[in-house]
């Protein structure tokens, strides 16, 4: 796995917090959120197990994270047994028993795993966004930015995934709702930098979404 030695080690100050000490090499955990129920998807299977060109959506997303060369990869599961359609032996699986509540519970489960791993950064993305390539995960993870939050853009439009979160802001992530880091980015735009990425952050929520991609 690659260490993110290219990241600017002088973190942009966060009001109310002491400067972040740096000890040893920085490590990054990739967090793939895959716990939701997919209630809007009217297909015969859970949306993450549906296929595009014969490959499960979650498999495509996970392969892209793994190919980015991060130090650790965590998959947060919940509503469905993903092992039915994908090999999870190469990653750490964290089950979120509160998956029916809000996405924030899955985000915190993933960040907790990153903390146990001793990571300084977590790069978070969604399993229903299979067109976010490994290059986007890597670009966000290794961005030379002092910002505590770094987010991908596609064609000049904020993704908003994947997003890199420094450990200094993990405790400030929302504990309810489905916005993830977006609400924190709105509150503190000065904490955020963007990095241009290839690919698309289009998500597959409905059967119509899937049909659009499989027919294109």
């Amino acid at each position: 796995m690659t260490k993110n030695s290219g990241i600017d080690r002088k973190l942009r100050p966060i009001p109310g917090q002491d400067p972040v000490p740096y000890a040893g090499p920085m490590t990054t955990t990739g967090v793939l959120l895959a716990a939701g129920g997919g209630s809007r998807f009217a297909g015969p299977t859970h949306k993450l197990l549906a296929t595009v060109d014969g490959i499960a959506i979650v498999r495509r997303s996970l392969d892209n994270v793994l190919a980015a060369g991060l130090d650790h990869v965590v998959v947060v599961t919940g509503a469905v047994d993903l092992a039915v359609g994908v090999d999870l032996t190469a990653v750490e699986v964290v089950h979120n028993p509160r998956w029916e509540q809000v996405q924030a519970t899955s985000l915190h489960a993933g960040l907790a795993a990153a903390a146990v791993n001793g990571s300084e950064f977590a790069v978070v993305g969604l399993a229903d966004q299979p067109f976010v390539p490994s290059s986007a995960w890597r670009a966000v993870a290794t961005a030379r930015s002092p910002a505590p939050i770094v987010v991908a853009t596609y064609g000049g439009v904020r993704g908003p995934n994947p997003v890199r979160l420094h450990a200094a802001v993990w405790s400030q992530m929302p504990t309810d709702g489905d916005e993830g880091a977006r609400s924190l980015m709105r509150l503190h735009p000065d904490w955020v930098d963007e990095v241009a990425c290839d690919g698309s952050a289009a998500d597959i929520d409905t059967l119509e979404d899937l049909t659009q991609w499989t027919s294109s």
Side-chain angles (χ1 to χ4, degrees):
M1 297 290 185
T2 57
K3 304 298 181 183
N4 297 309
S5 56
I7 299 172
D8 193 328
R9 301 200 70 136
K10 296 179 181 179
L11 185 70
R12 189 174 297 165
I14 298 177
Q17 294 193 21
D18 294 329
V20 178
Y22 294 105
M26 292 177 286
T27 61
T28 298
T29 291
V31 177
L32 189 66
L33 302 182
S39 59
R40 294 173 56 196
F41 190 79
T45 184
H46 189 282
K47 67 177 181 178
L48 295 182
L49 298 178
T51 61
V52 176
D53 294 333
I55 302 173
I57 290 169
V58 65
R59 175 78 266 174
R60 285 177 169 272
S61 299
L62 180 56
D63 283 349
N64 288 332
V65 183
L66 290 171
L70 307 181
D71 299 289
H72 309 279
V73 174
V74 171
V75 177
V76 182
T77 64
V80 66
D81 181 8
L82 298 178
V84 171
V86 62
D87 181 5
L88 297 174
T89 56
V91 301
E92 178 183 354
V93 178
V94 175
H95 179 71
N96 176 17
R98 300 167 58 202
W99 64 266
E100 289 185 280
Q101 297 180 18
V102 289
Q103 188 186 99
T105 63
S106 294
L107 174 60
H108 280 277
L111 295 178
V116 171
N117 287 330
S119 290
E120 190 167 3
F121 295 93
V123 182
V124 182
L126 303 180
D128 65 357
Q129 294 182 331
F131 310 109
V132 174
S134 59
S135 61
W137 283 88
R138 190 179 305 113
V140 171
T142 61
R144 295 184 63 88
S145 169
I149 302 175
V150 177
V151 63
T153 65
Y154 304 89
V157 178
R158 184 174 289 184
N161 294 298
V163 57
R164 188 181 83 194
L165 306 171
H166 188 273
V169 301
W170 294 354
S171 64
Q172 302 188 49
M173 290 297 111
T175 57
D176 56 16
D178 292 317
E179 287 197 316
R182 283 178 291 180
S183 59
L184 192 63
M185 288 190 281
R186 284 198 300 271
L187 286 172
H188 301 285
D190 54 314
W191 293 4
V192 184
D193 276 348
E194 298 178 341
V195 58
C197 294
D198 296 325
S200 169
D203 52 9
I204 295 179
D205 282 330
T206 67
L207 192 58
E208 290 72 23
D209 295 335
L210 180 65
T211 300
Q212 175 186 346
W213 285 101
T214 54
S215 61
S216 63

